[in-house]
Amino acid sequence: MKDLNYGLEMIGVKNMWKHSFLGEGVVVAVIDSGVEKEHRAIRSNIIGGFNFTNDDGGEENKYIDYIGHGTHVAGIIAGYDRDLKKIIGVAPLAKLLILKIIDKDGQATIDNACKAIEYALNWRGENGEKVNVMNMSFGTNKDSEHLKSLIKETYSKNVIMVASSGNYGDGNALTNELLYPAYYKEVIEVGAVKQNFEIYDYSNSNDEIDFVAPGYKILSSYLNETYVKLSGTSMATPHVSGAMALLINKFQKEDKEINYKSFYSYLRKDAKKLNYPITLQGHGLIQFKNSTI
């Protein structure tokens, strides 16, 4: 692994790390395709999980990732290869609750997504841990009253929800491409940018985009103990979830009130405005600036 995830530099995570804000004590629910739980980059950070698909009998702790998507997302959030002593994730000390809703065929249902959100809301760790952030690098073009009500409930309980805007964009800022749950106003909807600060070609545009984050050729953990580069808003989203874990860690250490509006304002204040309409970039590229930490 010669190169690390360049996205870490783009969003300025070292400005948080040097103050020892590494995501410690924060739990991020990864609602995705499961993970390769023995991958050295993420195995130490997994706190539990559940399989909501029909793969492997749908049992607790059998959240095997057959397609690599969830493993890659989890690494971006909290990857730390202790053998190589290399950090590949935004919040390397955060804990990951793995909730599998995408099966070996790459399919998911709204019903299983709802079950996973409910599970995350009610989950408690051995030491009373609760889920602080939900990463949802998935989406459907079908609005759902059940999903919408769960999103509102989650928001009311101060659990941060971050979701990918989708990869159906046509490059036209005037057209709307909508995916749920990202499009719900209670959810932080994330688009993708390249290393040169250009919007990723297929990143969705709509009037609820909140931020963009690195999402092009992102290096992270993958199947069979490997590392690969993948692209899409699915890769941008965990950068923001990891950033939220760092902020929660910071607020906890400083004994500040933890709430959605404070975190959103913090990200908005530091976001880098790009030369694109707000329907593509929202408030801009998330960043941690040293002067405001």
Side-chain angles (χ1 to χ4, degrees):
M1 187 168 61
K2 296 181 180 180
D3 51 351
L4 299 181
N5 173 9
Y6 70 83
L8 304 182
E9 292 288 343
M10 279 188 77
I11 68 173
V13 293
K14 289 183 179 179
N15 291 329
M16 295 290 278
W17 293 352
K18 70 183 181 183
H19 294 288
S20 297
F21 305 134
L22 296 162
E24 186 175 7
V26 180
V27 178
V28 181
V30 184
I31 305 176
D32 213 288
S33 64
V35 296
E36 183 176 279
K37 64 193 300 184
E38 296 305 320
H39 197 295
R40 63 182 184 269
I42 54 178
R43 63 191 177 202
S44 298
N45 289 348
I46 297 173
I47 197 171
F50 201 94
N51 173 20
F52 294 94
T53 75
N54 291 326
D55 294 351
D56 305 302
E59 296 179 17
E60 189 171 8
N61 294 322
K62 278 195 174 181
Y63 38 83
I64 301 170
D65 185 5
Y66 291 100
I67 63 175
H69 191 271
T71 301
H72 200 268
V73 166
I76 297 170
I77 296 171
Y80 179 25
D81 190 323
R82 287 164 173 79
D83 295 342
L84 297 177
K85 296 183 179 179
K86 290 184 181 293
I87 295 175
I88 62 169
V90 176
L93 294 186
K95 293 299 182 183
L96 304 170
L97 179 68
I98 309 302
L99 304 179
K100 178 176 175 174
I101 66 165
I102 303 173
D103 65 20
K104 61 178 65 178
D105 297 318
Q107 301 299 310
T109 67
I110 293 176
D111 184 52
N112 281 343
C114 291
K115 288 178 181 177
I117 293 170
E118 286 184 296
Y119 184 96
L121 277 178
N122 296 317
W123 177 85
R124 296 294 181 271
E126 290 184 358
N127 299 308
E129 299 96 335
K130 298 179 181 180
V131 169
N132 305 104
V133 182
M134 293 187 194
N135 187 93
M136 299 181 284
S137 289
F138 66 88
T140 174
N141 59 9
K142 296 179 181 178
D143 195 358
S144 161
E145 287 302 319
H146 186 198
L147 180 60
K148 184 186 296 184
S149 67
L150 280 173
I151 293 298
K152 290 182 180 294
E153 180 183 356
T154 303
Y155 179 82
S156 72
K157 293 182 177 179
N158 258 335
V159 177
I160 310 299
M161 297 167 287
V162 189
S164 52
S165 67
N167 307 314
Y168 302 97
D170 57 7
N172 184 349
L174 300 179
T175 59
N176 286 333
E177 299 90 29
L178 310 182
L179 284 187
Y180 303 93
Y183 190 66
Y184 297 131
K185 63 181 181 180
E186 296 86 0
V187 177
I188 297 175
E189 182 175 12
V190 184
V193 294
K194 300 178 183 179
Q195 193 169 4
N196 59 3
F197 300 100
E198 290 183 0
I199 296 290
Y200 174 59
D201 303 48
Y202 306 107
S203 190
N204 283 8
S205 60
N206 62 67
D207 58 355
E208 288 291 343
I209 299 289
D210 292 291
F211 299 100
V212 290
Y216 182 68
K217 294 185 178 180
I218 301 298
L219 182 73
S220 186
S221 44
Y222 200 65
L223 303 183
N224 302 314
E225 287 268 354
T226 60
Y227 293 90
V228 301
K229 294 178 180 180
L230 297 178
S231 301
T233 59
S234 286
M235 285 65 249
T237 300
H239 282 90
V240 179
S241 294
M244 284 297 182
L246 298 184
L247 280 178
I248 292 171
N249 188 191
K250 169 182 168 64
F251 277 46
Q252 286 175 338
K253 286 188 174 183
E254 296 174 353
D255 199 27
K256 293 181 179 178
E257 182 183 357
I258 296 174
N259 62 73
Y260 173 93
K261 291 182 178 179
S262 295
F263 297 146
Y264 195 93
S265 296
Y266 198 105
L267 288 184
R268 183 175 179 177
K269 174 183 63 178
D270 277 358
K272 177 182 177 66
K273 288 287 188 182
L274 306 178
N275 190 28
Y276 289 95
I278 60 172
T279 53
L280 278 169
Q281 70 164 322
H283 299 297
L285 172 68
I286 65 161
Q287 287 188 329
F288 292 113
K289 296 179 180 176
N290 187 44
S291 60
T292 59
I293 296 171

